[in-house]
Amino acid sequence: MSDPNDPIAARKMQFLFHLRSKGVTNTRVLNAMEAIDRGLFVRGVFAERAYEDMPLPIASGQTISQPSIVGLMTQALDVQSRDKVLEVGTGSGYQAAILAKLARRVYTVDRHRGLVRDARGVFDELGLHTITAITGDGSFGLPEQAPFDRIIVTAAAEDPPGPLLAQLAVGGIMVLPVGQSDHVQSLIKVTRGTDGFDYEEILPVRFVPLVEGLGQD
């Protein structure tokens, strides 16, 4: 049992309590988020705010999503222990690290070479050897590794990208934000059945746009 007088333990308890209050109730997801220290993925002046429920700036003009959104997206993805997961938008690597605690294998793609390099460093530090981080245009997925049991996209497209839908296994789930602008976006869950796709809206969100091509960094 954790010592309530330990400031780190108390901060972690508060962090998990807040996640539950926001609707993150899946025990496996909460355990994964307890195991992965968000502070390792936030650099510089913002590191001390790593346990606040807010998005924070990272390199290459990107952000690390607020923990409650990470938790809700991960919960909606319903990752099983034998799943192979594709993440589009590595960013800081925080989401991929949590997925690695839940899935058999995680492939994560980002258009910014520097972000991928930094994320790999943290993955190595944490001993997360089931993650493969790749620099590339994630809007095209990873056809050579398809199909995927789960796909998560951490940037907003107008519609679910066709290549990603095609790479989702039958019975698979994709979670992503969609919207026509930066201001009106919905987090949706796409489930692939034997005869098509089912779409479910989860909640309104705000994400950076999904951009094709490689980043200039």
Side-chain angles (χ1 to χ4, degrees), residues 155-177:
E158 288 191 13
D159 298 293
L164 300 183
L165 291 171
Q167 290 170 39
L168 189 62
V170 174
I173 294 170
M174 175 161 61
V175 172
L176 76 163

Side-chain angles (χ1 to χ4, degrees), residues 71-130:
L72 289 168
M73 288 182 78
T74 307
Q75 182 169 273
L77 203 62
D78 191 25
V79 180
Q80 304 300 307
S81 59
R82 299 299 301 161
D83 283 349
K84 180 168 68 169
V85 182
L86 171 64
E87 178 192 33
V88 175
T90 309
S92 68
Y94 179 58
Q95 175 74 76
I98 290 166
L99 292 169
K101 291 290 183 182
L102 301 168
R104 173 175 60 90
R105 188 87 203 158
V106 178
Y107 292 86
T108 182
V109 185
D110 201 287
R111 60 193 295 270
H112 295 285
R113 195 175 306 279
L115 291 179
V116 172
R117 182 186 61 241
D118 291 347
R120 281 181 185 144
V122 185
F123 299 154
D124 288 344
E125 187 181 333
L126 292 173
L128 299 174
H129 303 305
T130 58

Side-chain angles (χ1 to χ4, degrees), residues 8-192:
I8 295 174
R11 187 173 63 177
K12 191 168 277 191
M13 281 179 63
Q14 186 177 17
F15 180 72
L16 292 170
F17 177 79
H18 183 77
L19 289 174
R20 289 191 188 95
S21 76
K22 291 290 188 176
V24 183
T25 56
N26 182 286
T27 302
R28 291 184 70 233
V29 173
L30 288 167
N31 288 344
M33 295 189 73
E34 182 178 13
I36 299 297
D37 181 0
R38 189 175 184 242
L40 295 174
F41 298 88
V42 184
R43 303 271 186 258
V45 295
F46 295 102
E48 64 187 34
R49 308 187 74 173
Y51 281 93
E52 295 179 29
D53 192 30
M54 60 187 298
L56 294 169
I58 58 171
S60 302
Q62 304 300 298
T63 57
I64 179 172
S65 296
Q66 64 194 84
S68 61
I69 293 295
V70 171
L72 289 168
M73 288 182 78
T74 307
Q75 182 169 273
L77 203 62
D78 191 25
V79 180
Q80 304 300 307
S81 59
R82 299 299 301 161
D83 283 349
K84 180 168 68 169
V85 182
L86 171 64
E87 178 192 33
V88 175
T90 309
S92 68
Y94 179 58
Q95 175 74 76
I98 290 166
L99 292 169
K101 291 290 183 182
L102 301 168
R104 173 175 60 90
R105 188 87 203 158
V106 178
Y107 292 86
T108 182
V109 185
D110 201 287
R111 60 193 295 270
H112 295 285
R113 195 175 306 279
L115 291 179
V116 172
R117 182 186 61 241
D118 291 347
R120 281 181 185 144
V122 185
F123 299 154
D124 288 344
E125 187 181 333
L126 292 173
L128 299 174
H129 303 305
T130 58
I131 304 175
T132 301
I134 298 163
T135 304
D137 186 343
S139 60
F140 293 103
L142 277 181
E144 65 275 18
Q145 296 295 340
F148 295 95
D149 304 295
R150 301 288 187 269
I151 298 176
I152 186 168
V153 185
T154 60
E158 288 191 13
D159 298 293
L164 300 183
L165 291 171
Q167 290 170 39
L168 189 62
V170 174
I173 294 170
M174 175 161 61
V175 172
L176 76 163
V178 296
Q180 303 291 329
S181 72
D182 292 349
H183 305 293
V184 183
Q185 297 173 1
S186 291
L187 189 67
I188 67 167
K189 176 178 179 178
V190 183
T191 305
R192 184 168 194 172

Side-chain angles (χ1 to χ4, degrees), residues 202-213:
I202 302 172
L203 78 162
V205 289
R206 285 186 69 177
F207 277 82
V208 296
L210 182 66
V211 180
E212 291 188 3

